[in-house]
Amino acid sequence: MAAKRSMDELRERVVLGEFGVRNVHTTDFPGNYPGYDDAWDQRRFEEAFRVDVVREEDGVLEFDMVGIDAAIANAFRRILLAEVPTMAVEKVFVYNNTSIVQDEILAHRLGLIPIRADPRLFEYRNQVYSKHMTWVPLGNQTDLFPDADFRPVHDDILIALLRPGQEIDVLMHCVKGIGKDHAKFSPVATASYRLLPDITLLQPVEDEAAETLQKCFSPGVIEIQNIKGKKVARVANARLDTFSREVFRHEGLKNLVRLARVRNHYIFSVESTGILPPDVLVTEAIKILMGKCQRFLNELDSVPME
């Protein structure tokens, strides 16, 4: 029975010790553990996989993605950072700039200002040949996008300080792009994930030791209850902990607590730059990931089998 518990811990938990972290390697493939069928099964995946939205406010979305491998979680994060398209300033034509900011620095700053324009309404730039040359009046763009509100996300981004008599007169062209090409196209300020903390008290922790234990963790993680006149520690909300491993500095406590992380439970945090809401960015990232998977399947189908 103890051997099975140890094997389950090895398969399902990343354990944080005093001097290192154990069980960090990926185990989601068949034949890794004797007696376990870890072959991928679509029905089993659909039953275990879920997405729980925890918080959405002020351009920040926090959600849990449960039942996936680290490779998928990291692919999703990288897509958010570098492959969800946005609109950004690409060309700056400087007609007059008498400020102390050089033209190149000015153009760079303008390129990093988030533009509130839905990139789904635009196409990527294509290669241009002479047959593509045509005249398009700029005036009818208001008819093409009657409900659009294209503008910088924030009105208070400082570009340059001007002295009396100085001026900046520039014309900017915005294009569609992705973060892999340039960081200015990245739609997120941050996109990160962490594994769900799992804290287990191996023995009762009481009185002064309970108070010391509470101070070793982030606020709200450890709760002290009064049971029959004794102060008893319990894990209230392990999710709030940052795993500083402060508890291992106390000789009387370090063997009473097991710190681990749930291997397939990822807590995502996505902060938008304001170009699109974070829930839309997550949806677009999922579409891109699905497209990558479909292209891979198409490549497999196109390769002749011997």
Side-chain angles (χ1 to χ4, degrees):
M1 196 68 176
K4 185 179 186 304
R5 284 198 301 269
S6 177
M7 183 62 71
D8 289 341
E9 177 183 286
L10 183 65
R11 297 175 70 247
E12 300 173 2
R13 294 293 187 271
V14 176
V15 180
L16 285 79
E18 183 177 2
F19 300 108
V21 183
R22 305 194 308 272
N23 309 345
V24 297
H25 61 287
T26 296
T27 62
D28 190 14
F29 55 88
N32 194 40
Y33 301 108
Y36 288 88
D37 179 20
D38 287 326
W40 190 83
D41 180 81
Q42 182 174 348
R43 181 187 58 82
R44 187 166 55 192
F45 171 79
E46 292 177 352
E47 292 176 353
F49 178 74
R50 73 176 193 271
V51 175
D52 302 325
V53 177
V54 177
R55 176 173 60 92
E56 182 178 5
E57 57 184 10
D58 299 330
V60 178
L61 176 65
E62 180 180 331
F63 63 93
D64 293 358
M65 190 174 289
V66 185
I68 58 172
D69 185 67
I72 302 300
N74 195 50
F76 184 72
R77 181 189 69 87
R78 291 174 65 88
I79 288 173
L80 277 169
L81 288 170
E83 297 191 48
V84 175
T86 63
M87 301 297 293
V89 173
E90 177 73 2
K91 299 291 185 181
V92 177
F93 300 91
V94 181
Y95 294 115
N96 189 17
N97 177 18
T98 57
S99 71
I100 61 173
V101 181
Q102 297 94 332
D103 292 353
E104 295 82 0
I105 302 299
L106 177 64
H108 181 261
R109 290 185 178 182
L110 292 172
L112 294 177
I113 295 176
I115 303 298
R116 189 188 296 277
D118 193 338
R120 294 170 295 184
L121 301 176
F122 297 85
E123 299 293 337
Y124 288 106
R125 289 174 298 174
N126 296 317
Q127 290 182 335
V128 179
Y129 298 90
S130 57
K131 64 181 179 181
H132 297 137
M133 297 178 62
T134 183
W135 176 72
V136 180
L138 298 177
N140 76 333
Q141 289 185 344
T142 56
D143 299 326
L144 293 175
F145 311 121
D147 300 324
D149 182 22
F150 303 149
R151 59 181 177 83
V153 171
H154 305 288
D155 297 329
D156 57 352
I157 298 178
L158 179 63
I159 298 175
L161 294 175
L162 298 180
R163 291 182 176 181
Q166 294 180 336
E167 66 172 309
I168 296 176
D169 183 10
V170 299
L171 173 66
M172 294 174 287
H173 289 182
C174 296
V175 300
K176 184 175 181 177
I178 57 178
K180 284 199 301 185
D181 297 333
H182 195 286
K184 67 184 179 183
F185 292 112
S186 181
V188 294
T190 59
S192 61
Y193 65 79
R194 60 190 178 99
L195 291 174
L196 178 70
D198 179 35
I199 302 173
T200 304
L201 300 182
L202 304 177
Q203 297 180 22
V205 182
E206 302 174 345
D207 298 328
E208 185 178 346
E211 294 179 346
T212 304
L213 180 69
Q214 186 181 45
K215 296 176 182 178
C216 292
F217 294 90
S218 302
V221 175
I222 301 296
E223 179 183 73
I224 296 180
Q225 296 178 320
N226 195 320
I227 301 177
K228 296 181 180 180
K230 289 186 176 182
K231 296 179 180 178
V232 180
R234 64 175 290 270
V235 179
N237 189 354
R239 182 190 184 93
L240 301 176
D241 196 43
T242 58
F243 275 172
S244 65
R245 293 190 278 185
E246 172 72 16
V247 68
F248 292 126
R249 300 180 61 186
H250 300 269
E251 288 293 331
L253 294 177
K254 65 180 183 180
N255 295 322
L256 305 181
V257 182
R258 188 198 70 165
L259 303 183
R261 292 185 182 272
V262 182
R263 184 184 297 279
N264 67 346
H265 190 136
Y266 296 86
I267 301 174
F268 273 86
S269 178
V270 179
E271 180 181 353
S272 171
T273 59
I275 295 173
L276 291 173
D279 58 324
V280 175
L281 295 178
V282 169
T283 302
E284 292 301 306
I286 292 174
K287 292 178 181 177
I288 293 173
L289 183 57
M290 292 172 62
K292 287 175 174 285
C293 295
Q294 188 59 54
R295 285 194 298 273
F296 178 69
L297 293 175
N298 293 340
E299 288 292 331
L300 290 179
D301 293 337
S302 64
V303 175
M305 301 297 292
E306 296 183 358

